[in-house]
Amino acid sequence: MAGHIDTVKLNDGSSIPWLGFGNGSGNAKKAALISTKAALENSLYHIDTAQLYGTEEATMEAIKELGIPREQCYITSKIATAHGSDAEIRAGIEETHQRMGTIPDLFLIHNPFIGHEDRIVPTWKVMEAMKDEGKLKSIGVSNFRPQDFEKILAECKHKPSVHQIEFHPLVLKHLEPVLAIHKEHNIITEAYGPLTASLRFPKERKNPLEATLQKISERLTKEAGEEVNDHAVTLLWVKAKGGVAVTSSGNPENIKGLARISRLKVALTPEEVAEIDSIGSQYHFRYYNEHMSKNFPVPDLPKDHILPGRNP
């Protein structure tokens, strides 16, 4: 992979860059071609798109306009719906192939409610078959609760390689049973919304992580010889935990900053990771609360340590 970004090994033997650019939200989605080109121009070659975002075609157009070889890029997409027969599911996946003119490096079930919940296993079996046929590469899931994993893991031929979820220190307590499944089955945690703990914490409340993030930021800035702010610290926390982070921006300067962070050669110490984990686990703040809230209760924490997220 060009650009010398560290990678994470998946359970199918392939590797994924540890930091990716998502074009599925905010201004990055509104101007997907422009934002994706900005990411690629800064050598952020890991691009996260999806059928639901409507940005698959813009992703490939950006790559082609810049003349970047396809093999230099790592592309993730996701299936939006799984209503109907197995043949219809297969056809839906092949629509991604047609829109993109390529097979994504990673293809996910976007969430367990893409159709009826009883369609999770049939959808996964179609993806497994297409993987065996060479029509999909790595396969995984997104926004899965423990009960969703139980369905797939009971019958799967190929375990999910990746689980993409909202992941940051303030959902650690809630995710304990999910992360235990990841550990048991060697499934990589891929974080969306990884900056939530530093970027989106309610302004009317004092952020319990602020002092710790600032302390680590100051240490890493000295070590790196360049600024490593609290946002960078939260991304490096994901990396230190063996995960992959996907984040987004429509601001060209912020995109340059993400590219710079992707190549930082500094790292959190185990003690710093443990300190962040300890503080984060005392709170629950899920920003994207439209996911993983149904039949998956919030953790047993003091009421004032459970904060409301964004309305669906």
Side-chain angles (χ1 to χ4, degrees):
M1 182 68 62
H4 308 291
I5 297 177
D6 291 339
T7 59
V8 176
K9 193 74 171 289
L10 302 183
N11 60 17
D12 63 3
S14 65
S15 295
I16 181 173
W18 83 269
L19 185 62
F21 179 80
N23 58 22
S25 63
N27 290 330
K29 178 181 178 180
K30 291 176 184 176
L33 177 60
I34 294 172
S35 66
T36 304
K37 286 176 68 173
L40 294 167
E41 286 169 336
N42 285 282
S43 300
L44 275 175
Y45 297 124
H46 174 185
I47 306 296
D48 184 272
T49 181
Q51 294 179 351
L52 191 62
Y53 305 158
T55 58
E56 290 177 324
E57 290 170 312
T59 296
M60 296 311 299
E61 187 176 347
I63 292 170
K64 291 174 183 176
E65 284 191 12
L66 294 173
I68 298 172
R70 167 65 182 90
E71 62 273 12
Q72 192 167 313
C73 302
Y74 190 98
I75 303 169
T76 298
S77 193
K78 314 170 191 77
I79 188 168
T81 60
H83 295 288
S85 66
D86 291 0
E88 288 169 324
I89 295 168
R90 178 181 286 265
I93 296 171
E94 289 174 344
E95 287 174 5
T96 283
H97 296 168
Q98 293 164 9
R99 281 189 293 270
M100 303 186 76
T102 189
I103 298 173
D105 299 280
L106 175 64
F107 195 76
L108 310 177
I109 296 178
H110 206 141
N111 65 67
F113 310 115
I114 53 173
H116 299 291
E117 289 184 59
D118 61 3
R119 296 303 297 166
I120 292 175
V121 171
T123 301
W124 187 253
K125 287 185 177 295
V126 170
M127 289 169 59
E128 288 181 321
M130 293 183 74
K131 177 179 174 67
D132 289 341
E133 296 163 11
K135 295 179 180 178
L136 287 176
K137 298 179 183 179
S138 295
I139 54 177
V141 298
S142 183
N143 300 308
F144 267 41
R145 305 156 301 174
Q147 59 264 43
D148 304 316
F149 270 114
E150 288 173 6
K151 293 176 182 178
I152 282 185
L153 292 171
E155 299 192 42
C156 69
K157 176 182 180 182
H158 301 291
K159 293 181 180 181
S161 294
V162 163
H163 183 204
Q164 189 179 109
I165 45 173
E166 180 178 350
F167 182 70
H168 50 78
L170 300 174
V171 290
L172 279 177
K173 187 67 176 177
H174 191 214
L175 289 177
E176 281 180 354
V178 175
L179 298 177
I181 293 170
H182 290 187
K183 183 176 181 180
E184 180 181 355
H185 297 281
N186 192 22
I187 299 167
I188 293 299
T189 305
E190 184 173 22
Y192 68 76
L195 299 178
T196 294
S198 58
L199 183 65
R200 298 190 177 99
F201 196 85
K203 291 181 172 53
E204 65 273 16
R205 293 281 298 267
K206 180 174 176 57
N207 189 332
L209 285 164
E210 182 178 357
T212 296
L213 295 177
Q214 182 60 36
K215 177 179 65 175
I216 298 170
S217 168
E218 291 171 358
R219 183 189 72 77
L220 292 178
T221 294
K222 290 179 182 178
E223 182 178 337
E226 58 180 304
E227 184 184 15
V228 181
N229 62 21
D230 56 349
H231 299 335
V233 172
T234 56
L235 292 173
L236 291 170
W237 172 84
V238 175
K239 184 182 183 186
K241 292 185 75 66
V244 173
V246 173
T247 190
S248 181
S249 177
N251 183 308
E253 289 304 311
N254 289 345
I255 293 172
K256 287 181 182 178
L258 292 174
R260 183 181 61 81
I261 293 168
S262 74
R263 291 166 178 78
L264 285 173
K265 296 305 178 186
V266 294
L268 276 67
T269 66
E271 293 77 16
E272 289 168 337
V273 173
E275 183 176 350
I276 291 174
D277 289 359
S278 176
I279 297 170
S281 295
Q282 298 174 48
Y283 293 82
H284 177 70
F285 176 54
R286 178 178 296 286
Y287 181 72
Y288 297 98
N289 57 6
E290 66 268 39
H291 301 303
M292 300 189 72
S293 297
K294 180 181 178 183
N295 297 325
F296 187 35
V298 299
D300 183 15
L301 293 169
K303 287 185 179 180
D304 64 342
H305 284 208
I306 299 175
L307 289 81
R310 183 187 67 170
N311 290 326

